[in-house]
């Protein structure tokens, strides 16, 4: 089984001062409300209710952390999470762009998201969930532009690809590559940004996303049978 299946809830925070002090790689998931972020996290971690998928988009107002390692299997196990054995953290960032959220809450989220992706030293990479039918809204671009100067990897998951036909899928992926390759460093070298098609419903792109996220956390170097025990 994938090491991501070990994911279990670790903590939730609403202010940067409360972020975990652990010195392990963090891979953060960001995306517009209703882009399928929570669903993608849940299917990648093989758990139905790990990430909160609200029927009211925009309700997830906090940064939620899930640990990898420190517990042998996922949520159904009652054993304690051993903090000193945690190898990586998955970070579910608040969804952005939901119109009915108050202006004060939006400002708080914007500051929280922007400060986190720009300044968090433990952040190893960003996974950006984008609806393949409506790729790269202004808020998606804002997130990329916040993150790009860090020079860290970004992986774009084009969700709900089952809603597109093959030509539309190819066009969406081509557009993603074009947009992402336009971000370059001061020497004109493109940032390490990648993209893929994904469908939680059809399980399209699941293996590719799993392999990419494990690589971004460094967990691809850990044999799954050495760190996961069936219980």
């Amino acid at each position: 089984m994938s090491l991501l299946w070990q994911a279990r809830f670790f903590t939730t925070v609403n202010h940067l001062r409360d972020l975990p002090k652990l010195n392990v790689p963090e891979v953060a998931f960001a995306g517009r409300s209703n882009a399928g972020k929570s669903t993608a996290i849940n299917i990648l971690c093989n758990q139905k209710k790990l990430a909160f998928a609200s029927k009211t988009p925009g309700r997830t107002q906090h940064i939620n952390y899930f640990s990898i390692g420190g517990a042998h299997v996922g949520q159904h196990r009652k054993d304690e999470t051993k903090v000193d054995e945690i190898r990586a953290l998955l970070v579910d960032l608040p969804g952005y762009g939901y119109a009915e959220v108050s202006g004060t809450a939006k400002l708080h989220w914007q500051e929280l998201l922007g400060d986190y992706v720009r300044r968090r030293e433990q952040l190893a990479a960003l996974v950006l969930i984008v609806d393949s039918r409506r790729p790269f809204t202004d808020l998606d671009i804002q997130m990329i532009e916040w993150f790009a100067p860090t020079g860290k990897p970004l992986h774009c998951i084009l969700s709900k690809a089952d809603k597109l036909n093959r030509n539309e899928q190819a066009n969406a992926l081509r557009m993603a590559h074009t947009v992402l390759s336009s971000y370059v460093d001061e020497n004109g070298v493109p940032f390490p940004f990648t993209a893929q098609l994904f469908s939680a419903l059809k399980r399209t792109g699941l293996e590719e996303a799993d392999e990419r996220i494990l690589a971004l956390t460094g967990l691809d170097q850990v044999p799954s049978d050495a760190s996961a025990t069936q219980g």
Side-chain angles (χ1 to χ4, degrees):
M1 68 179 190
S2 169
L3 284 169
L4 296 183
W5 291 16
Q6 290 185 24
R8 63 190 298 171
F9 176 77
F10 182 65
T11 191
T12 184
V13 301
N14 196 31
H15 299 282
L16 294 180
R17 62 177 178 269
D18 298 323
L19 293 176
K21 307 299 184 185
L22 298 181
N23 190 25
V24 299
E26 296 177 6
V27 170
F29 291 75
R32 185 177 175 85
S33 297
N34 247 1
K37 175 168 58 67
S38 296
T39 301
I41 293 172
N42 287 338
I43 194 170
L44 284 163
C45 296
N46 196 39
Q47 298 177 49
K48 292 182 179 179
K49 298 181 180 180
L50 181 66
F52 180 68
S54 173
K55 292 182 180 179
T56 305
R59 279 191 57 191
T60 306
Q61 302 179 19
H62 301 80
I63 295 177
N64 294 308
Y65 274 82
F66 310 111
S67 60
I68 305 291
H72 291 303
V73 187
Q75 299 275 78
H76 63 281
R77 286 291 297 268
K78 301 298 183 183
D79 51 328
E80 294 289 331
T81 298
K82 299 177 181 178
V83 175
D84 59 343
E85 294 181 10
I86 292 175
R87 293 186 172 91
L89 292 166
L90 305 181
V91 187
D92 184 11
L93 299 175
Y96 49 81
Y98 188 58
E100 293 185 18
V101 175
S102 72
T104 301
K106 281 183 181 178
L107 182 61
H108 174 68
W109 293 359
Q110 186 175 29
E111 291 175 347
L112 190 67
L113 286 168
D115 287 347
Y116 174 82
V117 301
R118 287 181 293 196
R119 301 175 185 174
R120 180 67 167 168
E121 290 184 8
Q122 292 93 324
L123 181 59
L126 184 70
V127 177
L128 185 64
I129 312 294
V130 174
D131 189 327
S132 60
R133 299 168 299 175
R134 293 180 287 275
F136 301 107
T137 65
D138 290 344
L139 291 172
D140 295 324
I141 295 298
Q142 182 180 60
M143 177 61 70
I144 296 172
E145 292 185 350
W146 275 338
F147 182 73
T150 68
K152 297 173 182 177
L154 180 149
H155 186 57
C156 179
I157 287 180
L158 297 167
S159 65
K160 306 182 183 182
D162 56 284
K163 305 294 185 182
L164 305 179
N165 62 37
R166 289 195 175 185
N167 279 341
E168 291 169 337
Q169 289 178 358
N171 289 336
L173 188 58
R174 187 181 304 113
M175 176 187 177
H177 286 145
T178 298
V179 170
L180 295 176
S181 65
S182 69
Y183 290 90
V184 298
D185 65 18
E186 57 187 10
N187 297 315
V189 178
F191 287 118
F193 292 174
T194 52
Q196 68 161 105
L197 294 167
F198 186 87
S199 167
L201 181 65
K202 301 292 186 181
R203 304 182 76 85
T204 304
L206 181 57
E207 183 175 345
E208 181 181 355
D210 178 80
E211 290 177 355
R212 184 62 182 152
I213 292 165
L214 289 176
L216 293 172
T217 57
L219 292 174
D220 58 334
Q221 304 300 317
V222 180
S224 59
D225 58 356
S227 55
T229 302
Q230 296 283 354

